[in-house]
Amino acid sequence: MPTYVYAITDAGHPLRLDGITGVGDPAAELRTVRTKQLSAVVSDAPADLRAKRRDLLAHQNVQERLLADGPALPMRFGLVGPDDAQVASVLEEQRDAYAERLKEIDGCLEYNLKVARDEDDLLREVMAESADIRRLNERTRDNPAAHDDRLALGELVSQQVQARQDRMGTELVDRLTPAAERTALADPTKTHFLNVSFLVKREKAGAFSEAVHQEAEQRGEAYTFHLNGPLPPYSFV
């Protein structure tokens, strides 16, 4: 039977799995696959696994229980192996890599930061700072038939918007990185120009959150900061 994998720990990690169950309906019973150095918390994989709220919560509850007692490598929802024997084989083959990752995330949590900027505010800044854009804008406004100028204007505005978002994203990451152990950039969303995760020591979590709050205060109402966490360190596994 296929094996659903929740997390990987070192062999000495407490496995307090009483009172919690895994994914599926009925909920699967949890068990461990062990090698000399590592353990994987697993269960039988349901045949009709979907990203339903019930199963997402079950997946997260297992990981939070493990992380409360020490470092654990959280697997993404839906990771399934052929069987327990294959899971054990991978644990053995990748034991050095997994052991190194466990050391890296020991005592750490993940925070994900997404930042957006009001579009009108950004466009006003672009217009104010670019003489070329102002010139093209006046030309297209006075001559509705200036098709080539409208294309040039749109391309130039897009370039300037992207350049400013890239610059601001880099600046924000650089300012917040000293408060974290590691960072992991992800692709921007449709509404957020910055999407980045930070690996933060537990004892520094309050200071990190305060640093993000201060950045948001300094940027003003035109910016929206969304900080999500603490989370299992998915982005650093």
Side-chain angles (χ1 to χ4, degrees):
M1 175 175 286
T3 299
Y4 186 98
V5 185
Y6 299 85
I8 296 170
T9 71
D10 63 46
H13 191 288
L15 299 174
R16 299 183 300 110
L17 303 177
D18 52 295
I20 58 173
T21 53
V23 298
D25 187 17
E29 182 178 350
L30 300 172
R31 61 180 184 272
T32 58
V33 174
R34 298 175 181 269
T35 65
K36 185 176 180 180
Q37 292 181 273
L38 300 168
S39 295
V41 176
V42 305
S43 70
D44 290 341
D48 59 344
L49 181 65
R50 297 289 187 275
K52 300 176 182 176
R53 184 175 185 275
R54 177 195 62 221
D55 289 333
L56 291 169
L57 286 175
H59 181 87
Q60 182 176 335
N61 287 340
V62 174
Q63 296 177 341
E64 288 180 348
R65 174 70 65 85
L66 294 169
L67 285 166
D69 291 326
L73 300 181
M75 300 295 105
R76 296 285 185 180
F77 178 85
L79 180 65
V80 176
D83 52 40
D84 285 11
Q86 288 296 316
V87 172
S89 177
V90 172
L91 290 180
E92 186 60 31
E93 290 172 3
Q94 302 295 327
R95 63 184 183 276
D96 293 340
Y98 288 144
E100 184 63 28
R101 287 287 185 270
L102 285 165
K103 290 179 182 178
E104 289 177 358
I105 68 169
D106 190 9
C108 295
L109 296 167
E110 177 175 334
Y111 286 83
N112 176 257
L113 175 64
K114 292 183 176 68
V115 183
R117 184 177 179 183
D118 180 76
E119 184 176 349
D120 290 339
D121 181 75
L122 178 56
L123 290 175
R124 283 194 295 270
E125 179 182 291
V126 168
M127 184 73 70
E129 295 183 1
S130 174
D132 289 338
I133 288 178
R134 292 197 303 273
R135 176 178 53 80
L136 285 170
N137 184 58
E138 292 173 1
R139 186 180 299 174
T140 56
R141 184 178 56 197
D142 296 337
N143 182 10
H147 178 70
D148 290 343
D149 284 341
R150 281 200 303 274
L151 291 177
L153 175 62
E155 182 176 349
L156 187 56
V157 168
S158 178
Q159 291 173 354
Q160 290 294 322
V161 165
Q162 187 65 54
R164 281 167 170 75
Q165 290 179 334
D166 289 346
R167 185 166 63 246
M168 180 59 67
T170 299
E171 180 182 329
L172 284 168
V173 172
D174 287 347
R175 289 173 65 88
L176 291 170
T177 292
E181 301 302 304
R182 289 176 58 195
T183 61
L185 281 169
D187 291 336
T189 71
K190 290 182 178 180
T191 56
H192 300 92
F193 68 87
L194 180 63
N195 179 13
V196 58
S197 290
F198 297 87
L199 188 67
V200 180
K201 287 289 187 181
R202 287 179 183 270
E203 62 269 23
K204 296 182 179 179
F208 178 79
S209 296
E210 178 60 25
V212 173
H213 177 72
Q214 290 178 3
E215 289 296 328
E217 287 285 315
Q218 291 176 12
R219 306 298 166 183
E221 295 182 357
Y223 288 82
T224 301
F225 282 61
H226 181 72
L227 184 64
N228 188 22
L231 302 167
Y234 294 114
S235 301
F236 303 95
V237 179

